[in-house]
mmCIF file of all heavy atoms in Angstrom:
data_model
loop_
_atom_site.group_PDB
_atom_site.id
_atom_site.type_symbol
_atom_site.label_atom_id
_atom_site.label_comp_id
_atom_site.label_asym_id
_atom_site.label_seq_id
_atom_site.Cartn_x
_atom_site.Cartn_y
_atom_site.Cartn_z
ATOM 1 N N GLY A 187 32.593 52.847 -0.968
ATOM 2 C CA GLY A 187 33.697 53.582 -0.367
ATOM 3 C C GLY A 187 34.574 52.772 0.552
ATOM 4 O O GLY A 187 35.638 53.202 0.951
ATOM 5 N N GLU A 188 34.158 51.529 0.945
ATOM 6 C CA GLU A 188 34.937 50.750 1.831
ATOM 7 C C GLU A 188 36.047 50.027 1.077
ATOM 8 O O GLU A 188 35.828 49.510 -0.005
ATOM 9 C CB GLU A 188 34.050 49.701 2.546
ATOM 10 C CG GLU A 188 34.836 48.863 3.588
ATOM 11 C CD GLU A 188 33.928 47.888 4.298
ATOM 12 O OE1 GLU A 188 32.773 48.235 4.477
ATOM 13 O OE2 GLU A 188 34.431 46.813 4.687
ATOM 14 N N THR A 189 37.246 49.990 1.646
ATOM 15 C CA THR A 189 38.407 49.347 1.038
ATOM 16 C C THR A 189 38.801 48.120 1.824
ATOM 17 O O THR A 189 38.297 47.892 2.918
ATOM 18 C CB THR A 189 39.589 50.316 0.931
ATOM 19 O OG1 THR A 189 39.942 50.736 2.255
ATOM 20 C CG2 THR A 189 39.228 51.526 0.084
ATOM 21 N N GLY A 190 39.780 47.385 1.295
ATOM 22 C CA GLY A 190 40.260 46.206 2.031
ATOM 23 C C GLY A 190 39.622 44.949 1.458
ATOM 24 O O GLY A 190 38.840 44.982 0.525
ATOM 25 N N SER A 191 40.023 43.808 2.042
ATOM 26 C CA SER A 191 39.533 42.521 1.577
ATOM 27 C C SER A 191 38.054 42.341 1.865
ATOM 28 O O SER A 191 37.552 42.841 2.846
ATOM 29 C CB SER A 191 40.350 41.408 2.242
ATOM 30 O OG SER A 191 41.703 41.529 1.946
ATOM 31 N N PRO A 192 37.340 41.618 0.982
ATOM 32 C CA PRO A 192 35.942 41.368 1.239
ATOM 33 C C PRO A 192 35.777 40.390 2.408
ATOM 34 O O PRO A 192 36.694 39.653 2.745
ATOM 35 C CB PRO A 192 35.458 40.723 -0.068
ATOM 36 C CG PRO A 192 36.715 40.074 -0.622
ATOM 37 C CD PRO A 192 37.832 41.019 -0.256
ATOM 38 N N VAL A 193 34.616 40.436 3.032
ATOM 39 C CA VAL A 193 34.303 39.485 4.079
ATOM 40 C C VAL A 193 33.858 38.162 3.447
ATOM 41 O O VAL A 193 33.063 38.139 2.536
ATOM 42 C CB VAL A 193 33.149 39.999 5.007
ATOM 43 C CG1 VAL A 193 32.783 38.978 6.031
ATOM 44 C CG2 VAL A 193 33.630 41.293 5.686
ATOM 45 N N ILE A 194 34.443 37.050 3.908
ATOM 46 C CA ILE A 194 34.107 35.778 3.380
ATOM 47 C C ILE A 194 33.363 34.977 4.458
ATOM 48 O O ILE A 194 33.894 34.798 5.561
ATOM 49 C CB ILE A 194 35.354 34.973 2.923
ATOM 50 C CG1 ILE A 194 36.134 35.799 1.862
ATOM 51 C CG2 ILE A 194 34.970 33.609 2.356
ATOM 52 C CD1 ILE A 194 37.415 35.099 1.426
ATOM 53 N N SER A 195 32.166 34.537 4.167
ATOM 54 C CA SER A 195 31.383 33.784 5.151
ATOM 55 C C SER A 195 31.283 32.341 4.718
ATOM 56 O O SER A 195 31.232 32.044 3.508
ATOM 57 C CB SER A 195 29.976 34.412 5.284
ATOM 58 O OG SER A 195 29.289 34.291 4.073
ATOM 59 N N TYR A 196 31.241 31.439 5.734
ATOM 60 C CA TYR A 196 31.127 30.012 5.448
ATOM 61 C C TYR A 196 29.941 29.495 6.223
ATOM 62 O O TYR A 196 29.811 29.680 7.429
ATOM 63 C CB TYR A 196 32.403 29.293 5.897
ATOM 64 C CG TYR A 196 33.623 29.804 5.194
ATOM 65 C CD1 TYR A 196 34.450 30.731 5.794
ATOM 66 C CD2 TYR A 196 33.939 29.364 3.929
ATOM 67 C CE1 TYR A 196 35.575 31.204 5.123
ATOM 68 C CE2 TYR A 196 35.047 29.831 3.245
ATOM 69 C CZ TYR A 196 35.883 30.762 3.876
ATOM 70 O OH TYR A 196 36.969 31.223 3.220
ATOM 71 N N GLU A 197 29.070 28.778 5.505
ATOM 72 C CA GLU A 197 27.865 28.240 6.111
ATOM 73 C C GLU A 197 27.869 26.719 6.050
ATOM 74 O O GLU A 197 28.451 26.120 5.147
ATOM 75 C CB GLU A 197 26.599 28.777 5.402
ATOM 76 C CG GLU A 197 26.501 30.300 5.455
ATOM 77 C CD GLU A 197 25.324 30.787 4.640
ATOM 78 O OE1 GLU A 197 24.578 29.958 4.099
ATOM 79 O OE2 GLU A 197 25.126 32.012 4.608
ATOM 80 N N TYR A 198 27.230 26.080 7.037
ATOM 81 C CA TYR A 198 27.110 24.639 7.009
ATOM 82 C C TYR A 198 26.100 24.235 5.924
ATOM 83 O O TYR A 198 25.281 25.053 5.513
ATOM 84 C CB TYR A 198 26.568 24.157 8.384
ATOM 85 C CG TYR A 198 27.646 23.728 9.297
ATOM 86 C CD1 TYR A 198 28.587 24.660 9.765
ATOM 87 C CD2 TYR A 198 27.783 22.423 9.735
ATOM 88 C CE1 TYR A 198 29.614 24.272 10.618
ATOM 89 C CE2 TYR A 198 28.775 22.011 10.577
ATOM 90 C CZ TYR A 198 29.696 22.959 11.031
ATOM 91 O OH TYR A 198 30.692 22.559 11.863
ATOM 92 N N PRO A 199 26.080 22.972 5.469
ATOM 93 C CA PRO A 199 26.887 21.878 5.972
ATOM 94 C C PRO A 199 28.178 21.705 5.210
ATOM 95 O O PRO A 199 28.166 21.549 3.989
ATOM 96 C CB PRO A 199 25.998 20.630 5.795
ATOM 97 C CG PRO A 199 25.143 20.997 4.611
ATOM 98 C CD PRO A 199 25.004 22.509 4.602
ATOM 99 N N LEU A 200 29.289 21.673 5.896
ATOM 100 C CA LEU A 200 30.596 21.347 5.362
ATOM 101 C C LEU A 200 31.316 20.520 6.421
ATOM 102 O O LEU A 200 31.097 20.682 7.610
ATOM 103 C CB LEU A 200 31.425 22.614 5.065
ATOM 104 C CG LEU A 200 30.924 23.481 3.923
ATOM 105 C CD1 LEU A 200 31.693 24.794 3.884
ATOM 106 C CD2 LEU A 200 31.130 22.748 2.607
ATOM 107 N N THR A 201 32.191 19.653 6.005
ATOM 108 C CA THR A 201 32.917 18.927 6.976
ATOM 109 C C THR A 201 33.841 19.817 7.764
ATOM 110 O O THR A 201 34.271 20.873 7.302
ATOM 111 C CB THR A 201 33.750 17.785 6.349
ATOM 112 O OG1 THR A 201 34.810 18.420 5.585
ATOM 113 C CG2 THR A 201 32.943 16.877 5.476
ATOM 114 N N GLU A 202 34.121 19.441 8.986
ATOM 115 C CA GLU A 202 34.950 20.242 9.855
ATOM 116 C C GLU A 202 36.298 20.528 9.206
ATOM 117 O O GLU A 202 36.810 21.665 9.301
ATOM 118 C CB GLU A 202 35.134 19.513 11.169
ATOM 119 C CG GLU A 202 35.978 20.219 12.202
ATOM 120 C CD GLU A 202 36.138 19.400 13.472
ATOM 121 O OE1 GLU A 202 35.822 18.191 13.430
ATOM 122 O OE2 GLU A 202 36.620 19.946 14.444
ATOM 123 N N ARG A 203 36.894 19.534 8.568
ATOM 124 C CA ARG A 203 38.240 19.731 7.973
ATOM 125 C C ARG A 203 38.198 20.753 6.842
ATOM 126 O O ARG A 203 39.076 21.634 6.766
ATOM 127 C CB ARG A 203 38.753 18.399 7.469
ATOM 128 C CG ARG A 203 40.141 18.478 6.816
ATOM 129 C CD ARG A 203 40.593 17.123 6.305
ATOM 130 N NE ARG A 203 40.687 16.147 7.396
ATOM 131 C CZ ARG A 203 40.919 14.840 7.226
ATOM 132 N NH1 ARG A 203 41.110 14.396 5.994
ATOM 133 N NH2 ARG A 203 40.982 14.036 8.244
ATOM 134 N N ILE A 204 37.193 20.642 5.998
ATOM 135 C CA ILE A 204 37.111 21.579 4.862
ATOM 136 C C ILE A 204 36.855 22.997 5.364
ATOM 137 O O ILE A 204 37.444 23.958 4.874
ATOM 138 C CB ILE A 204 35.998 21.155 3.881
ATOM 139 C CG1 ILE A 204 36.391 19.846 3.212
ATOM 140 C CG2 ILE A 204 35.728 22.212 2.880
ATOM 141 C CD1 ILE A 204 35.351 19.293 2.276
ATOM 142 N N ARG A 205 36.001 23.161 6.360
ATOM 143 C CA ARG A 205 35.753 24.466 6.919
ATOM 144 C C ARG A 205 37.045 25.088 7.461
ATOM 145 O O ARG A 205 37.329 26.271 7.276
ATOM 146 C CB ARG A 205 34.699 24.403 8.048
ATOM 147 C CG ARG A 205 33.305 24.057 7.500
ATOM 148 C CD ARG A 205 32.275 23.998 8.632
ATOM 149 N NE ARG A 205 32.109 25.288 9.249
ATOM 150 C CZ ARG A 205 32.389 25.568 10.542
ATOM 151 N NH1 ARG A 205 32.875 24.621 11.308
ATOM 152 N NH2 ARG A 205 32.180 26.755 11.029
ATOM 153 N N THR A 206 37.812 24.292 8.207
ATOM 154 C CA THR A 206 39.060 24.773 8.747
ATOM 155 C C THR A 206 40.037 25.215 7.628
ATOM 156 O O THR A 206 40.668 26.281 7.723
ATOM 157 C CB THR A 206 39.711 23.701 9.628
ATOM 158 O OG1 THR A 206 38.822 23.337 10.655
ATOM 159 C CG2 THR A 206 41.010 24.224 10.237
ATOM 160 N N MET A 207 40.143 24.389 6.598
ATOM 161 C CA MET A 207 41.046 24.717 5.520
ATOM 162 C C MET A 207 40.619 25.974 4.793
ATOM 163 O O MET A 207 41.426 26.841 4.430
ATOM 164 C CB MET A 207 41.142 23.544 4.514
ATOM 165 C CG MET A 207 41.811 22.301 5.125
ATOM 166 S SD MET A 207 41.716 20.855 4.043
ATOM 167 C CE MET A 207 42.711 21.406 2.653
ATOM 168 N N LEU A 208 39.317 26.160 4.603
ATOM 169 C CA LEU A 208 38.829 27.367 3.925
ATOM 170 C C LEU A 208 39.063 28.588 4.765
ATOM 171 O O LEU A 208 39.400 29.675 4.234
ATOM 172 C CB LEU A 208 37.339 27.189 3.616
ATOM 173 C CG LEU A 208 36.992 26.191 2.528
ATOM 174 C CD1 LEU A 208 35.470 25.956 2.457
ATOM 175 C CD2 LEU A 208 37.478 26.679 1.166
ATOM 176 N N ARG A 209 38.867 28.498 6.062
ATOM 177 C CA ARG A 209 39.144 29.632 6.933
ATOM 178 C C ARG A 209 40.621 30.033 6.904
ATOM 179 O O ARG A 209 40.987 31.188 6.876
ATOM 180 C CB ARG A 209 38.657 29.337 8.338
ATOM 181 C CG ARG A 209 37.151 29.297 8.496
ATOM 182 C CD ARG A 209 36.727 28.847 9.851
ATOM 183 N NE ARG A 209 35.302 28.683 9.959
ATOM 184 C CZ ARG A 209 34.434 29.626 10.343
ATOM 185 N NH1 ARG A 209 34.913 30.826 10.617
ATOM 186 N NH2 ARG A 209 33.168 29.378 10.395
ATOM 187 N N LEU A 210 41.494 29.012 6.934
ATOM 188 C CA LEU A 210 42.931 29.280 6.850
ATOM 189 C C LEU A 210 43.290 29.932 5.526
ATOM 190 O O LEU A 210 44.090 30.860 5.484
ATOM 191 C CB LEU A 210 43.717 27.969 7.026
ATOM 192 C CG LEU A 210 43.760 27.385 8.442
ATOM 193 C CD1 LEU A 210 44.387 26.002 8.420
ATOM 194 C CD2 LEU A 210 44.533 28.313 9.382
ATOM 195 N N GLU A 211 42.669 29.454 4.458
ATOM 196 C CA GLU A 211 42.901 30.033 3.140
ATOM 197 C C GLU A 211 42.494 31.495 3.122
ATOM 198 O O GLU A 211 43.210 32.363 2.566
ATOM 199 C CB GLU A 211 42.137 29.231 2.094
ATOM 200 C CG GLU A 211 42.354 29.767 0.684
ATOM 201 C CD GLU A 211 41.482 29.035 -0.323
ATOM 202 O OE1 GLU A 211 40.236 28.904 -0.050
ATOM 203 O OE2 GLU A 211 41.981 28.590 -1.334
ATOM 204 N N ALA A 212 41.375 31.803 3.729
ATOM 205 C CA ALA A 212 40.893 33.184 3.768
ATOM 206 C C ALA A 212 41.843 34.059 4.583
ATOM 207 O O ALA A 212 42.137 35.225 4.197
ATOM 208 C CB ALA A 212 39.493 33.216 4.380
ATOM 209 N N LEU A 213 42.387 33.536 5.683
ATOM 210 C CA LEU A 213 43.317 34.304 6.491
ATOM 211 C C LEU A 213 44.598 34.634 5.741
ATOM 212 O O LEU A 213 45.144 35.737 5.853
ATOM 213 C CB LEU A 213 43.628 33.542 7.778
ATOM 214 C CG LEU A 213 42.511 33.459 8.801
ATOM 215 C CD1 LEU A 213 42.938 32.534 9.940
ATOM 216 C CD2 LEU A 213 42.228 34.850 9.378
#
Side-chain angles (χ1 to χ4, degrees):
E188 182 178 329
T189 60
S191 300
V193 175
I194 302 178
S195 63
Y196 301 98
E197 300 175 1
Y198 264 65
L200 291 171
T201 68
E202 181 181 13
R203 179 180 301 173
I204 292 176
R205 291 180 65 242
T206 301
M207 292 173 65
L208 290 171
R209 289 174 185 270
L210 288 171
E211 180 185 49
L213 287 173

